[in-house]
Amino acid sequence: EAAVVGLRFSPLRHEVLAACDTAGNIQVWDSCALKHMCKFPRAHRSSARCLAFSTHNEALLISGGDDSMVNFWDVRTSSKIREVNVEVGLR
């Protein structure tokens, strides 16, 4: 199992919790219902390091990692919206 390196609650939906790990995986839970909302296996090619939920769009989750990518996710549809290369890994 990979070590969890980031946790973040949604500021708009306080029950929604996201986690990222050293294998590049991202998981999102409904902490009240105690169930997964969505999973993004291998969301990053190396360690996923940081997470942020939008303060304006409750479905938008943003992640950054050692692979120099910033990824935008829709947690409602479990899909990647966009990927941006930032040229240097994020921590």
Side-chain angles (χ1 to χ4, degrees):
E1 290 290 318
V4 172
V5 293
L7 291 170
R8 185 74 60 194
F9 276 100
S10 168
L12 299 176
R13 295 182 60 204
H14 301 287
E15 74 281 5
V16 177
L17 173 67
C20 60
D21 66 32
T22 55
N25 304 306
I26 296 173
Q27 298 183 46
V28 182
W29 292 277
D30 179 322
S31 63
C32 291
L34 301 176
K35 67 176 186 172
H36 274 107
M37 291 178 59
C38 58
K39 298 179 186 180
F40 303 106
R42 306 246 183 243
H44 289 271
R45 290 183 286 280
S46 56
S47 184
R49 293 289 179 179
C50 50
L51 296 166
F53 280 98
S54 171
T55 58
H56 301 287
N57 179 343
E58 67 181 26
L60 179 61
L61 174 66
I62 304 162
S63 65
D66 286 349
D67 60 357
S68 304
M69 302 306 291
V70 174
N71 295 326
F72 297 79
W73 308 95
D74 185 325
V75 299
R76 272 194 226 138
T77 63
S78 299
S79 61
K80 185 187 285 187
I81 299 168
R82 186 168 183 191
E83 181 176 79
V84 178
N85 186 328
V86 294
E87 298 182 12
V88 62
L90 303 171
R91 294 205 181 251

